[in-house]
Amino acid sequence: MAIGVRLTIDQTLSRIARALKNKRPLSLVRIGDGENLVLAQASVWTQRRVMREKWAIQAKKGRKGIPFPSLKLRDQVAGAIRRADIVGILPAGDRRIKAPAYLKRPLTNQVFLHFGLAPQVTCHACFNRIAVRKARFRRMLRGKRILVITAKPGDVKAQLERKPYRLRVAATIPFSHYRQLGRTMSRVRALRSRFDIALISCGVSAVVLAPRIAEATGKVAVDFGKAPKLMQVGRGKRKRKQNRKRRRNRRQGRKKR
């Protein structure tokens, strides 16, 4: 698979920060096992083979927020990858995503070759998971107006606004299914003067949405994926650490008495 510049996590953050500073549009999408299976439909794999996979079975049952199987969605995802400014792909031998190895980078290589996809700029597909833990991520977004698009945006808004993030969520849009694409884009256009960056957490639909939002508004749009869940986990770890410290201090206090 022929690809262009490979950005590190910090370089990816720098690109986003530069776009925000210069008020230039930028879209970042990420390709994981789910996106690979969407693209593999009746292309590098038969539809029957695709539908044997656990992810595809769940998607068909409506658990992934997309119509599946769907060749229309397949073509929309391929088109979105062509238009995106930065495309997140998994490195060979990835261990971060819990999916069979053959559904990760090997399948990305196959579907990209089939559709003639050759992103000029790529980053790690787990950019969202890694970046959200960095202080630089918080500094980059501090003072920026954030639009959150996800199934339960109120929860993500609360996470972003409290410690250690203390960010400003200027607007939210609930999104739980692909069929809400049109309505969501209408809402995004209406909000274009109220946000600087859109953080989109809605599965495969985020790949379709991110380039559309950047193009329609001239803003930054990032496929944020499961990052909000990781933020919640991180908060739980900090709380447990604080509790352990309090218990240790209490034990030491009793010993002194």
Side-chain angles (χ1 to χ4, degrees):
M1 178 178 69
I3 56 176
V5 179
R6 292 182 177 87
L7 302 178
T8 65
I9 299 300
D10 282 337
Q11 288 171 336
T12 306
L13 286 169
S14 293
R15 291 269 181 130
I16 295 172
R18 192 179 311 130
L20 287 168
K21 180 180 178 180
N22 298 328
K23 297 184 179 181
R24 302 289 297 174
L26 182 144
S27 59
L28 185 155
V29 303
R30 301 173 309 100
I31 309 305
D33 57 309
E35 290 77 14
N36 282 339
L37 283 169
V38 169
L39 290 167
Q41 297 177 90
S43 58
V44 299
W45 286 6
T46 63
Q47 200 69 286
R48 179 176 293 181
R49 182 179 176 186
V50 169
M51 296 310 301
R52 288 203 298 263
E53 297 296 331
K54 181 179 179 180
W55 189 97
I57 293 169
Q58 291 178 339
K60 186 177 181 180
K61 291 179 179 178
R63 295 174 184 169
K64 299 295 182 179
I66 56 172
F68 202 82
S70 172
L71 298 186
K72 177 183 177 181
L73 177 60
R74 179 199 68 183
D75 294 342
Q76 286 179 328
V77 169
I81 293 169
R82 287 193 181 92
R83 303 199 323 268
D85 297 294
I86 304 175
V87 178
I89 58 174
L90 290 169
D94 169 73
R95 293 184 180 181
R96 288 181 179 271
I97 290 183
K98 294 180 181 179
Y102 65 88
L103 292 181
K104 297 194 279 188
R105 182 60 180 269
L107 188 51
T108 299
N109 291 345
Q110 293 175 53
V111 294
F112 275 34
L113 180 62
H114 177 86
F115 287 99
L117 301 172
Q120 293 302 300
V121 183
T122 64
C123 69
H124 199 303
C126 294
F127 160 79
N128 60 325
R129 303 184 182 205
I130 303 167
V132 77
R133 299 181 184 276
K134 288 179 169 283
R136 187 176 181 183
F137 169 83
R138 300 193 293 270
R139 291 196 301 269
M140 177 186 75
L141 293 183
R142 200 144 285 157
K144 303 303 179 185
R145 300 169 302 169
I146 300 170
L147 167 64
V148 169
I149 303 175
T150 191
K152 297 181 179 179
D155 293 346
V156 179
K157 181 178 187 294
Q159 289 172 10
L160 289 171
E161 290 182 338
R162 64 182 170 228
K163 291 181 180 180
Y165 300 96
R166 294 189 179 280
L167 301 175
R168 178 188 175 191
V169 177
T172 63
I173 300 175
F175 187 106
S176 57
H177 199 277
Y178 167 91
R179 59 177 170 265
Q180 297 166 333
L181 278 172
R183 185 181 72 188
T184 298
M185 284 306 303
S186 295
R187 183 67 179 143
V188 166
R189 291 186 184 94
L191 292 168
R192 64 187 303 166
S193 64
R194 291 179 51 189
F195 73 94
D196 304 305
I197 180 171
L199 300 180
I200 314 161
S201 295
C202 52
V204 176
S205 295
V207 176
V208 179
L209 272 172
R212 291 189 184 186
I213 290 173
E215 292 164 4
T217 66
K219 305 299 176 68
V220 176
V222 175
D223 174 0
F224 205 42
K226 295 181 179 179
K229 290 184 179 180
L230 297 176
M231 289 160 55
Q232 200 168 25
V233 168
R235 184 169 178 264
K237 286 181 178 178
R238 286 193 298 274
K239 190 171 182 179
R240 288 193 295 273
K241 186 176 180 180
Q242 290 168 355
N243 289 338
R244 285 196 298 269
K245 186 176 180 179
R246 290 192 191 100
R247 288 194 296 269
R248 186 167 60 250
N249 290 340
R250 284 198 295 268
R251 286 195 299 270
Q252 290 172 351
R254 284 195 295 268
K255 286 178 181 178
K256 288 179 181 179
R257 289 197 296 269

